[in-house]
Amino acid sequence: MTIPVLKEVNIDPYTDYDALSSAASFLDTMQFSKVKTRYTKGTDWTALSLRGYSDDCLNILKPGVLKSGVNESAKLQDTFLRKENALKPVNEILKKIPAEFERVRFMSLKAGTIIGKHTDKIDKDIGFEIGKIIRLHIPIRTHSKVEFSVWDKRDKITFLMVEGKYYYTDVTKPHSVVNNSKIDRIHLVVDCYCNAILKGLVLGDTR
């Protein structure tokens, strides 16, 4: 079995772009939490929880990762954002994914900024075995000048992701993002518990 490092997943894309634009505009009104990393500056890269280990949407962390301080007994739960009318398109996007979810976050990268080359190996739950976590990215707002790159050994693979489409990324491999646009990029990042159906969609042919 050859596991891809970056590819579009065989799930019908969400194509109501006006609704996605409205969802992004709503998110622009929200306060986001800084992502704990040394690969960006200041608050260039931020996130907000739709589902996480707290009912607080500003709590984007999980137990046992990056000295988060999140109690090991903390339970996964939706935040109030799951019921926000403006985010109905996001719920429609999630319905198309045949899996149970761990964390679900909105991740924003400011215009004109980058996320440096890094891996997410620190999260030991990520993997392609049944029950491990497969991470999907669905752009809510993006631009043709936003480049998502993953390195497969020495080969650099770069995607220009499209709003409403589903992408698998092997985040245990080095990856980076460059936002050369004048807009803040927002991705819905969905951590899915791997099952046979989702695994098949990731390994199958792209549309």
Side-chain angles (χ1 to χ4, degrees), residues 11-48:
I11 298 174
D12 288 332
Y14 184 85
T15 57
D16 188 341
Y17 302 115
D18 288 340
L20 288 179
S21 179
S22 295
S25 294
F26 170 80
L27 291 168
D28 287 338
T29 69
M30 298 292 298
Q31 178 185 352
F32 278 57
S33 290
K34 177 182 175 180
V35 175
K36 187 178 181 181
T37 181
R38 57 189 175 90
Y39 299 101
T40 57
K41 298 177 181 178
T43 56
D44 289 351
W45 189 21
T46 55
L48 198 61

PDB file of all heavy atoms in Angstrom, residues 11-48:
ATOM      1  N   ILE A  11     -14.291  12.746  -2.460  1.00  0.00           N
ATOM      2  CA  ILE A  11     -15.552  13.158  -1.841  1.00  0.00           C
ATOM      3  C   ILE A  11     -16.091  14.328  -2.651  1.00  0.00           C
ATOM      4  O   ILE A  11     -15.338  15.240  -3.008  1.00  0.00           O
ATOM      5  CB  ILE A  11     -15.353  13.581  -0.367  1.00  0.00           C
ATOM      6  CG1 ILE A  11     -14.824  12.417   0.474  1.00  0.00           C
ATOM      7  CG2 ILE A  11     -16.653  14.119   0.223  1.00  0.00           C
ATOM      8  CD1 ILE A  11     -14.476  12.795   1.914  1.00  0.00           C
ATOM      9  N   ASP A  12     -17.386  14.309  -2.945  1.00  0.00           N
ATOM     10  CA  ASP A  12     -17.963  15.402  -3.724  1.00  0.00           C
ATOM     11  C   ASP A  12     -17.717  16.741  -3.041  1.00  0.00           C
ATOM     12  O   ASP A  12     -18.057  16.912  -1.862  1.00  0.00           O
ATOM     13  CB  ASP A  12     -19.474  15.205  -3.891  1.00  0.00           C
ATOM     14  CG  ASP A  12     -19.809  14.079  -4.852  1.00  0.00           C
ATOM     15  OD1 ASP A  12     -18.992  13.808  -5.756  1.00  0.00           O
ATOM     16  OD2 ASP A  12     -20.880  13.464  -4.700  1.00  0.00           O
ATOM     17  N   PRO A  13     -17.139  17.703  -3.739  1.00  0.00           N
ATOM     18  CA  PRO A  13     -16.840  19.002  -3.120  1.00  0.00           C
ATOM     19  C   PRO A  13     -18.099  19.785  -2.782  1.00  0.00           C
ATOM     20  O   PRO A  13     -19.161  19.569  -3.373  1.00  0.00           O
ATOM     21  CB  PRO A  13     -16.013  19.726  -4.190  1.00  0.00           C
ATOM     22  CG  PRO A  13     -16.348  19.052  -5.467  1.00  0.00           C
ATOM     23  CD  PRO A  13     -16.675  17.632  -5.136  1.00  0.00           C
ATOM     24  N   TYR A  14     -17.960  20.680  -1.837  1.00  0.00           N
ATOM     25  CA  TYR A  14     -19.044  21.599  -1.487  1.00  0.00           C
ATOM     26  C   TYR A  14     -18.908  22.813  -2.396  1.00  0.00           C
ATOM     27  O   TYR A  14     -17.861  23.466  -2.421  1.00  0.00           O
ATOM     28  CB  TYR A  14     -18.925  22.008  -0.016  1.00  0.00           C
ATOM     29  CG  TYR A  14     -20.061  22.878   0.456  1.00  0.00           C
ATOM     30  CD1 TYR A  14     -21.243  22.308   0.911  1.00  0.00           C
ATOM     31  CD2 TYR A  14     -19.952  24.269   0.432  1.00  0.00           C
ATOM     32  CE1 TYR A  14     -22.302  23.110   1.339  1.00  0.00           C
ATOM     33  CE2 TYR A  14     -20.995  25.072   0.863  1.00  0.00           C
ATOM     34  CZ  TYR A  14     -22.170  24.479   1.313  1.00  0.00           C
ATOM     35  OH  TYR A  14     -23.210  25.263   1.726  1.00  0.00           O
ATOM     36  N   THR A  15     -19.956  23.115  -3.154  1.00  0.00           N
ATOM     37  CA  THR A  15     -19.823  24.113  -4.228  1.00  0.00           C
ATOM     38  C   THR A  15     -20.685  25.361  -4.044  1.00  0.00           C
ATOM     39  O   THR A  15     -20.778  26.174  -4.967  1.00  0.00           O
ATOM     40  CB  THR A  15     -20.160  23.469  -5.586  1.00  0.00           C
ATOM     41  OG1 THR A  15     -21.476  22.904  -5.537  1.00  0.00           O
ATOM     42  CG2 THR A  15     -19.148  22.378  -5.942  1.00  0.00           C
ATOM     43  N   ASP A  16     -21.298  25.534  -2.880  1.00  0.00           N
ATOM     44  CA  ASP A  16     -22.029  26.774  -2.638  1.00  0.00           C
ATOM     45  C   ASP A  16     -21.022  27.806  -2.131  1.00  0.00           C
ATOM     46  O   ASP A  16     -20.855  28.017  -0.939  1.00  0.00           O
ATOM     47  CB  ASP A  16     -23.146  26.545  -1.613  1.00  0.00           C
ATOM     48  CG  ASP A  16     -24.054  27.774  -1.470  1.00  0.00           C
ATOM     49  OD1 ASP A  16     -23.628  28.873  -1.872  1.00  0.00           O
ATOM     50  OD2 ASP A  16     -25.179  27.630  -0.943  1.00  0.00           O
ATOM     51  N   TYR A  17     -20.358  28.462  -3.078  1.00  0.00           N
ATOM     52  CA  TYR A  17     -19.259  29.353  -2.719  1.00  0.00           C
ATOM     53  C   TYR A  17     -19.733  30.615  -2.018  1.00  0.00           C
ATOM     54  O   TYR A  17     -18.999  31.195  -1.209  1.00  0.00           O
ATOM     55  CB  TYR A  17     -18.445  29.693  -3.965  1.00  0.00           C
ATOM     56  CG  TYR A  17     -17.898  28.450  -4.639  1.00  0.00           C
ATOM     57  CD1 TYR A  17     -18.308  28.083  -5.915  1.00  0.00           C
ATOM     58  CD2 TYR A  17     -16.987  27.626  -3.973  1.00  0.00           C
ATOM     59  CE1 TYR A  17     -17.827  26.932  -6.518  1.00  0.00           C
ATOM     60  CE2 TYR A  17     -16.498  26.470  -4.567  1.00  0.00           C
ATOM     61  CZ  TYR A  17     -16.925  26.132  -5.846  1.00  0.00           C
ATOM     62  OH  TYR A  17     -16.456  24.988  -6.427  1.00  0.00           O
ATOM     63  N   ASP A  18     -20.952  31.036  -2.302  1.00  0.00           N
ATOM     64  CA  ASP A  18     -21.504  32.192  -1.584  1.00  0.00           C
ATOM     65  C   ASP A  18     -21.653  31.866  -0.099  1.00  0.00           C
ATOM     66  O   ASP A  18     -21.363  32.701   0.768  1.00  0.00           O
ATOM     67  CB  ASP A  18     -22.852  32.602  -2.172  1.00  0.00           C
ATOM     68  CG  ASP A  18     -22.721  33.269  -3.533  1.00  0.00           C
ATOM     69  OD1 ASP A  18     -21.617  33.751  -3.858  1.00  0.00           O
ATOM     70  OD2 ASP A  18     -23.722  33.299  -4.278  1.00  0.00           O
ATOM     71  N   ALA A  19     -22.118  30.648   0.189  1.00  0.00           N
ATOM     72  CA  ALA A  19     -22.273  30.222   1.582  1.00  0.00           C
ATOM     73  C   ALA A  19     -20.914  30.120   2.270  1.00  0.00           C
ATOM     74  O   ALA A  19     -20.767  30.499   3.437  1.00  0.00           O
ATOM     75  CB  ALA A  19     -23.006  28.884   1.650  1.00  0.00           C
ATOM     76  N   LEU A  20     -19.919  29.622   1.554  1.00  0.00           N
ATOM     77  CA  LEU A  20     -18.572  29.558   2.129  1.00  0.00           C
ATOM     78  C   LEU A  20     -18.033  30.950   2.414  1.00  0.00           C
ATOM     79  O   LEU A  20     -17.402  31.191   3.446  1.00  0.00           O
ATOM     80  CB  LEU A  20     -17.625  28.819   1.180  1.00  0.00           C
ATOM     81  CG  LEU A  20     -17.805  27.308   1.059  1.00  0.00           C
ATOM     82  CD1 LEU A  20     -16.803  26.749   0.059  1.00  0.00           C
ATOM     83  CD2 LEU A  20     -17.642  26.630   2.408  1.00  0.00           C
ATOM     84  N   SER A  21     -18.296  31.889   1.504  1.00  0.00           N
ATOM     85  CA  SER A  21     -17.852  33.265   1.709  1.00  0.00           C
ATOM     86  C   SER A  21     -18.524  33.874   2.940  1.00  0.00           C
ATOM     87  O   SER A  21     -17.872  34.576   3.729  1.00  0.00           O
ATOM     88  CB  SER A  21     -18.165  34.095   0.462  1.00  0.00           C
ATOM     89  OG  SER A  21     -17.768  35.437   0.641  1.00  0.00           O
ATOM     90  N   SER A  22     -19.810  33.578   3.113  1.00  0.00           N
ATOM     91  CA  SER A  22     -20.523  34.087   4.289  1.00  0.00           C
ATOM     92  C   SER A  22     -19.966  33.484   5.574  1.00  0.00           C
ATOM     93  O   SER A  22     -19.828  34.176   6.592  1.00  0.00           O
ATOM     94  CB  SER A  22     -22.019  33.778   4.162  1.00  0.00           C
ATOM     95  OG  SER A  22     -22.587  34.486   3.077  1.00  0.00           O
ATOM     96  N   ALA A  23     -19.648  32.188   5.531  1.00  0.00           N
ATOM     97  CA  ALA A  23     -19.061  31.534   6.705  1.00  0.00           C
ATOM     98  C   ALA A  23     -17.713  32.169   7.047  1.00  0.00           C
ATOM     99  O   ALA A  23     -17.409  32.423   8.214  1.00  0.00           O
ATOM    100  CB  ALA A  23     -18.901  30.038   6.444  1.00  0.00           C
ATOM    101  N   ALA A  24     -16.903  32.443   6.018  1.00  0.00           N
ATOM    102  CA  ALA A  24     -15.605  33.068   6.246  1.00  0.00           C
ATOM    103  C   ALA A  24     -15.768  34.467   6.830  1.00  0.00           C
ATOM    104  O   ALA A  24     -15.023  34.860   7.742  1.00  0.00           O
ATOM    105  CB  ALA A  24     -14.814  33.125   4.936  1.00  0.00           C
ATOM    106  N   SER A  25     -16.755  35.206   6.336  1.00  0.00           N
ATOM    107  CA  SER A  25     -17.000  36.558   6.865  1.00  0.00           C
ATOM    108  C   SER A  25     -17.418  36.506   8.330  1.00  0.00           C
ATOM    109  O   SER A  25     -17.014  37.355   9.138  1.00  0.00           O
ATOM    110  CB  SER A  25     -18.079  37.254   6.035  1.00  0.00           C
ATOM    111  OG  SER A  25     -17.626  37.490   4.720  1.00  0.00           O
ATOM    112  N   PHE A  26     -18.228  35.502   8.684  1.00  0.00           N
ATOM    113  CA  PHE A  26     -18.606  35.325  10.089  1.00  0.00           C
ATOM    114  C   PHE A  26     -17.368  35.030  10.936  1.00  0.00           C
ATOM    115  O   PHE A  26     -17.181  35.607  12.021  1.00  0.00           O
ATOM    116  CB  PHE A  26     -19.620  34.191  10.226  1.00  0.00           C
ATOM    117  CG  PHE A  26     -19.887  33.787  11.650  1.00  0.00           C
ATOM    118  CD1 PHE A  26     -20.744  34.525  12.444  1.00  0.00           C
ATOM    119  CD2 PHE A  26     -19.250  32.680  12.199  1.00  0.00           C
ATOM    120  CE1 PHE A  26     -20.976  34.165  13.770  1.00  0.00           C
ATOM    121  CE2 PHE A  26     -19.472  32.315  13.522  1.00  0.00           C
ATOM    122  CZ  PHE A  26     -20.345  33.061  14.307  1.00  0.00           C
ATOM    123  N   LEU A  27     -16.507  34.160  10.440  1.00  0.00           N
ATOM    124  CA  LEU A  27     -15.303  33.810  11.194  1.00  0.00           C
ATOM    125  C   LEU A  27     -14.373  35.009  11.365  1.00  0.00           C
ATOM    126  O   LEU A  27     -13.645  35.108  12.356  1.00  0.00           O
ATOM    127  CB  LEU A  27     -14.574  32.650  10.511  1.00  0.00           C
ATOM    128  CG  LEU A  27     -15.308  31.306  10.584  1.00  0.00           C
ATOM    129  CD1 LEU A  27     -14.671  30.297   9.637  1.00  0.00           C
ATOM    130  CD2 LEU A  27     -15.325  30.771  12.007  1.00  0.00           C
ATOM    131  N   ASP A  28     -14.410  35.928  10.415  1.00  0.00           N
ATOM    132  CA  ASP A  28     -13.599  37.138  10.533  1.00  0.00           C
ATOM    133  C   ASP A  28     -13.979  37.975  11.760  1.00  0.00           C
ATOM    134  O   ASP A  28     -13.179  38.786  12.233  1.00  0.00           O
ATOM    135  CB  ASP A  28     -13.746  38.004   9.283  1.00  0.00           C
ATOM    136  CG  ASP A  28     -13.026  37.430   8.073  1.00  0.00           C
ATOM    137  OD1 ASP A  28     -12.100  36.623   8.262  1.00  0.00           O
ATOM    138  OD2 ASP A  28     -13.400  37.793   6.936  1.00  0.00           O
ATOM    139  N   THR A  29     -15.190  37.778  12.259  1.00  0.00           N
ATOM    140  CA  THR A  29     -15.646  38.546  13.420  1.00  0.00           C
ATOM    141  C   THR A  29     -15.222  37.895  14.736  1.00  0.00           C
ATOM    142  O   THR A  29     -15.399  38.489  15.805  1.00  0.00           O
ATOM    143  CB  THR A  29     -17.182  38.697  13.427  1.00  0.00           C
ATOM    144  OG1 THR A  29     -17.801  37.424  13.690  1.00  0.00           O
ATOM    145  CG2 THR A  29     -17.686  39.233  12.092  1.00  0.00           C
ATOM    146  N   MET A  30     -14.684  36.678  14.660  1.00  0.00           N
ATOM    147  CA  MET A  30     -14.354  35.919  15.858  1.00  0.00           C
ATOM    148  C   MET A  30     -12.900  36.125  16.268  1.00  0.00           C
ATOM    149  O   MET A  30     -12.027  36.380  15.436  1.00  0.00           O
ATOM    150  CB  MET A  30     -14.583  34.418  15.608  1.00  0.00           C
ATOM    151  CG  MET A  30     -16.012  34.036  15.275  1.00  0.00           C
ATOM    152  SD  MET A  30     -17.120  34.257  16.680  1.00  0.00           S
ATOM    153  CE  MET A  30     -16.411  33.104  17.856  1.00  0.00           C
ATOM    154  N   GLN A  31     -12.659  36.001  17.561  1.00  0.00           N
ATOM    155  CA  GLN A  31     -11.295  35.968  18.072  1.00  0.00           C
ATOM    156  C   GLN A  31     -10.743  34.559  17.883  1.00  0.00           C
ATOM    157  O   GLN A  31     -11.418  33.577  18.186  1.00  0.00           O
ATOM    158  CB  GLN A  31     -11.268  36.330  19.562  1.00  0.00           C
ATOM    159  CG  GLN A  31      -9.880  36.282  20.186  1.00  0.00           C
ATOM    160  CD  GLN A  31      -9.912  36.528  21.690  1.00  0.00           C
ATOM    161  OE1 GLN A  31     -10.953  36.885  22.243  1.00  0.00           O
ATOM    162  NE2 GLN A  31      -8.790  36.324  22.352  1.00  0.00           N
ATOM    163  N   PHE A  32      -9.527  34.444  17.379  1.00  0.00           N
ATOM    164  CA  PHE A  32      -8.860  33.155  17.195  1.00  0.00           C
ATOM    165  C   PHE A  32      -7.721  33.030  18.207  1.00  0.00           C
ATOM    166  O   PHE A  32      -7.207  34.029  18.710  1.00  0.00           O
ATOM    167  CB  PHE A  32      -8.275  33.051  15.780  1.00  0.00           C
ATOM    168  CG  PHE A  32      -9.244  32.637  14.712  1.00  0.00           C
ATOM    169  CD1 PHE A  32     -10.413  33.361  14.470  1.00  0.00           C
ATOM    170  CD2 PHE A  32      -8.985  31.531  13.924  1.00  0.00           C
ATOM    171  CE1 PHE A  32     -11.285  32.988  13.471  1.00  0.00           C
ATOM    172  CE2 PHE A  32      -9.854  31.146  12.913  1.00  0.00           C
ATOM    173  CZ  PHE A  32     -11.009  31.872  12.685  1.00  0.00           C
ATOM    174  N   SER A  33      -7.313  31.797  18.474  1.00  0.00           N
ATOM    175  CA  SER A  33      -6.170  31.541  19.363  1.00  0.00           C
ATOM    176  C   SER A  33      -4.900  31.340  18.553  1.00  0.00           C
ATOM    177  O   SER A  33      -4.918  30.698  17.492  1.00  0.00           O
ATOM    178  CB  SER A  33      -6.411  30.278  20.197  1.00  0.00           C
ATOM    179  OG  SER A  33      -7.424  30.478  21.146  1.00  0.00           O
ATOM    180  N   LYS A  34      -3.807  31.851  19.054  1.00  0.00           N
ATOM    181  CA  LYS A  34      -2.510  31.656  18.407  1.00  0.00           C
ATOM    182  C   LYS A  34      -2.133  30.180  18.430  1.00  0.00           C
ATOM    183  O   LYS A  34      -2.277  29.499  19.447  1.00  0.00           O
ATOM    184  CB  LYS A  34      -1.447  32.478  19.134  1.00  0.00           C
ATOM    185  CG  LYS A  34      -0.039  32.299  18.594  1.00  0.00           C
ATOM    186  CD  LYS A  34       0.961  33.105  19.409  1.00  0.00           C
ATOM    187  CE  LYS A  34       2.384  32.826  18.938  1.00  0.00           C
ATOM    188  NZ  LYS A  34       3.384  33.591  19.713  1.00  0.00           N
ATOM    189  N   VAL A  35      -1.664  29.672  17.302  1.00  0.00           N
ATOM    190  CA  VAL A  35      -1.159  28.299  17.246  1.00  0.00           C
ATOM    191  C   VAL A  35       0.222  28.273  17.889  1.00  0.00           C
ATOM    192  O   VAL A  35       1.094  29.089  17.560  1.00  0.00           O
ATOM    193  CB  VAL A  35      -1.088  27.793  15.787  1.00  0.00           C
ATOM    194  CG1 VAL A  35      -0.444  26.407  15.728  1.00  0.00           C
ATOM    195  CG2 VAL A  35      -2.481  27.753  15.167  1.00  0.00           C
ATOM    196  N   LYS A  36       0.414  27.337  18.811  1.00  0.00           N
ATOM    197  CA  LYS A  36       1.678  27.238  19.526  1.00  0.00           C
ATOM    198  C   LYS A  36       2.720  26.592  18.618  1.00  0.00           C
ATOM    199  O   LYS A  36       2.712  25.383  18.383  1.00  0.00           O
ATOM    200  CB  LYS A  36       1.488  26.406  20.797  1.00  0.00           C
ATOM    201  CG  LYS A  36       2.705  26.379  21.712  1.00  0.00           C
ATOM    202  CD  LYS A  36       2.403  25.581  22.975  1.00  0.00           C
ATOM    203  CE  LYS A  36       3.604  25.564  23.905  1.00  0.00           C
ATOM    204  NZ  LYS A  36       3.331  24.770  25.137  1.00  0.00           N
ATOM    205  N   THR A  37       3.610  27.419  18.070  1.00  0.00           N
ATOM    206  CA  THR A  37       4.606  26.925  17.125  1.00  0.00           C
ATOM    207  C   THR A  37       5.739  27.937  17.009  1.00  0.00           C
ATOM    208  O   THR A  37       5.569  29.112  17.340  1.00  0.00           O
ATOM    209  CB  THR A  37       3.978  26.711  15.735  1.00  0.00           C
ATOM    210  OG1 THR A  37       4.960  26.212  14.829  1.00  0.00           O
ATOM    211  CG2 THR A  37       3.413  28.013  15.177  1.00  0.00           C
ATOM    212  N   ARG A  38       6.880  27.471  16.508  1.00  0.00           N
ATOM    213  CA  ARG A  38       7.980  28.395  16.219  1.00  0.00           C
ATOM    214  C   ARG A  38       8.143  28.598  14.716  1.00  0.00           C
ATOM    215  O   ARG A  38       9.134  29.183  14.269  1.00  0.00           O
ATOM    216  CB  ARG A  38       9.289  27.875  16.831  1.00  0.00           C
ATOM    217  CG  ARG A  38       9.709  26.487  16.389  1.00  0.00           C
ATOM    218  CD  ARG A  38      10.889  26.018  17.220  1.00  0.00           C
ATOM    219  NE  ARG A  38      11.281  24.639  16.938  1.00  0.00           N
ATOM    220  CZ  ARG A  38      12.166  24.285  16.013  1.00  0.00           C
ATOM    221  NH1 ARG A  38      12.749  25.200  15.278  1.00  0.00           N
ATOM    222  NH2 ARG A  38      12.472  23.015  15.822  1.00  0.00           N
ATOM    223  N   TYR A  39       7.161  28.134  13.956  1.00  0.00           N
ATOM    224  CA  TYR A  39       7.276  28.196  12.498  1.00  0.00           C
ATOM    225  C   TYR A  39       6.500  29.360  11.883  1.00  0.00           C
ATOM    226  O   TYR A  39       6.439  29.486  10.664  1.00  0.00           O
ATOM    227  CB  TYR A  39       6.827  26.869  11.880  1.00  0.00           C
ATOM    228  CG  TYR A  39       7.690  25.728  12.355  1.00  0.00           C
ATOM    229  CD1 TYR A  39       7.253  24.864  13.357  1.00  0.00           C
ATOM    230  CD2 TYR A  39       8.973  25.548  11.839  1.00  0.00           C
ATOM    231  CE1 TYR A  39       8.064  23.835  13.812  1.00  0.00           C
ATOM    232  CE2 TYR A  39       9.787  24.526  12.289  1.00  0.00           C
ATOM    233  CZ  TYR A  39       9.327  23.673  13.271  1.00  0.00           C
ATOM    234  OH  TYR A  39      10.144  22.665  13.728  1.00  0.00           O
ATOM    235  N   THR A  40       5.883  30.185  12.729  1.00  0.00           N
ATOM    236  CA  THR A  40       5.279  31.434  12.274  1.00  0.00           C
ATOM    237  C   THR A  40       5.611  32.519  13.297  1.00  0.00           C
ATOM    238  O   THR A  40       6.098  32.227  14.393  1.00  0.00           O
ATOM    239  CB  THR A  40       3.746  31.339  12.150  1.00  0.00           C
ATOM    240  OG1 THR A  40       3.201  30.942  13.414  1.00  0.00           O
ATOM    241  CG2 THR A  40       3.324  30.352  11.087  1.00  0.00           C
ATOM    242  N   LYS A  41       5.300  33.754  12.936  1.00  0.00           N
ATOM    243  CA  LYS A  41       5.557  34.880  13.829  1.00  0.00           C
ATOM    244  C   LYS A  41       4.268  35.393  14.440  1.00  0.00           C
ATOM    245  O   LYS A  41       3.233  35.448  13.761  1.00  0.00           O
ATOM    246  CB  LYS A  41       6.249  36.008  13.063  1.00  0.00           C
ATOM    247  CG  LYS A  41       7.610  35.644  12.485  1.00  0.00           C
ATOM    248  CD  LYS A  41       8.183  36.807  11.689  1.00  0.00           C
ATOM    249  CE  LYS A  41       9.542  36.446  11.085  1.00  0.00           C
ATOM    250  NZ  LYS A  41      10.093  37.557  10.271  1.00  0.00           N
ATOM    251  N   GLY A  42       4.342  35.775  15.706  1.00  0.00           N
ATOM    252  CA  GLY A  42       3.213  36.427  16.363  1.00  0.00           C
ATOM    253  C   GLY A  42       1.910  35.665  16.203  1.00  0.00           C
ATOM    254  O   GLY A  42       1.814  34.472  16.492  1.00  0.00           O
ATOM    255  N   THR A  43       0.902  36.370  15.696  1.00  0.00           N
ATOM    256  CA  THR A  43      -0.417  35.760  15.498  1.00  0.00           C
ATOM    257  C   THR A  43      -0.715  35.546  14.015  1.00  0.00           C
ATOM    258  O   THR A  43      -1.855  35.614  13.584  1.00  0.00           O
ATOM    259  CB  THR A  43      -1.517  36.640  16.127  1.00  0.00           C
ATOM    260  OG1 THR A  43      -1.435  37.965  15.557  1.00  0.00           O
ATOM    261  CG2 THR A  43      -1.363  36.722  17.632  1.00  0.00           C
ATOM    262  N   ASP A  44       0.343  35.249  13.242  1.00  0.00           N
ATOM    263  CA  ASP A  44       0.132  34.990  11.809  1.00  0.00           C
ATOM    264  C   ASP A  44      -0.735  33.755  11.586  1.00  0.00           C
ATOM    265  O   ASP A  44      -1.539  33.708  10.648  1.00  0.00           O
ATOM    266  CB  ASP A  44       1.476  34.786  11.098  1.00  0.00           C
ATOM    267  CG  ASP A  44       2.275  36.070  10.977  1.00  0.00           C
ATOM    268  OD1 ASP A  44       1.721  37.141  11.276  1.00  0.00           O
ATOM    269  OD2 ASP A  44       3.456  35.995  10.579  1.00  0.00           O
ATOM    270  N   TRP A  45      -0.564  32.736  12.443  1.00  0.00           N
ATOM    271  CA  TRP A  45      -1.280  31.463  12.296  1.00  0.00           C
ATOM    272  C   TRP A  45      -2.118  31.254  13.546  1.00  0.00           C
ATOM    273  O   TRP A  45      -1.587  31.178  14.660  1.00  0.00           O
ATOM    274  CB  TRP A  45      -0.269  30.339  12.125  1.00  0.00           C
ATOM    275  CG  TRP A  45      -0.839  29.005  11.747  1.00  0.00           C
ATOM    276  CD1 TRP A  45      -2.051  28.750  11.165  1.00  0.00           C
ATOM    277  CD2 TRP A  45      -0.187  27.739  11.898  1.00  0.00           C
ATOM    278  NE1 TRP A  45      -2.202  27.400  10.953  1.00  0.00           N
ATOM    279  CE2 TRP A  45      -1.062  26.759  11.385  1.00  0.00           C
ATOM    280  CE3 TRP A  45       1.049  27.349  12.403  1.00  0.00           C
ATOM    281  CZ2 TRP A  45      -0.737  25.402  11.370  1.00  0.00           C
ATOM    282  CZ3 TRP A  45       1.373  26.005  12.387  1.00  0.00           C
ATOM    283  CH2 TRP A  45       0.490  25.038  11.875  1.00  0.00           C
ATOM    284  N   THR A  46      -3.423  31.186  13.371  1.00  0.00           N
ATOM    285  CA  THR A  46      -4.334  31.079  14.504  1.00  0.00           C
ATOM    286  C   THR A  46      -5.400  30.034  14.225  1.00  0.00           C
ATOM    287  O   THR A  46      -5.576  29.578  13.087  1.00  0.00           O
ATOM    288  CB  THR A  46      -5.007  32.436  14.790  1.00  0.00           C
ATOM    289  OG1 THR A  46      -5.650  32.905  13.590  1.00  0.00           O
ATOM    290  CG2 THR A  46      -3.995  33.470  15.259  1.00  0.00           C
ATOM    291  N   ALA A  47      -6.123  29.648  15.272  1.00  0.00           N
ATOM    292  CA  ALA A  47      -7.129  28.592  15.121  1.00  0.00           C
ATOM    293  C   ALA A  47      -8.299  28.811  16.070  1.00  0.00           C
ATOM    294  O   ALA A  47      -8.210  29.562  17.051  1.00  0.00           O
ATOM    295  CB  ALA A  47      -6.496  27.224  15.359  1.00  0.00           C
ATOM    296  N   LEU A  48      -9.379  28.105  15.771  1.00  0.00           N
ATOM    297  CA  LEU A  48     -10.625  28.183  16.536  1.00  0.00           C
ATOM    298  C   LEU A  48     -11.247  26.797  16.503  1.00  0.00           C
ATOM    299  O   LEU A  48     -11.284  26.159  15.448  1.00  0.00           O
ATOM    300  CB  LEU A  48     -11.546  29.208  15.870  1.00  0.00           C
ATOM    301  CG  LEU A  48     -12.729  29.806  16.622  1.00  0.00           C
ATOM    302  CD1 LEU A  48     -12.258  30.558  17.863  1.00  0.00           C
ATOM    303  CD2 LEU A  48     -13.480  30.753  15.689  1.00  0.00           C
TER     304      LEU A  48
END
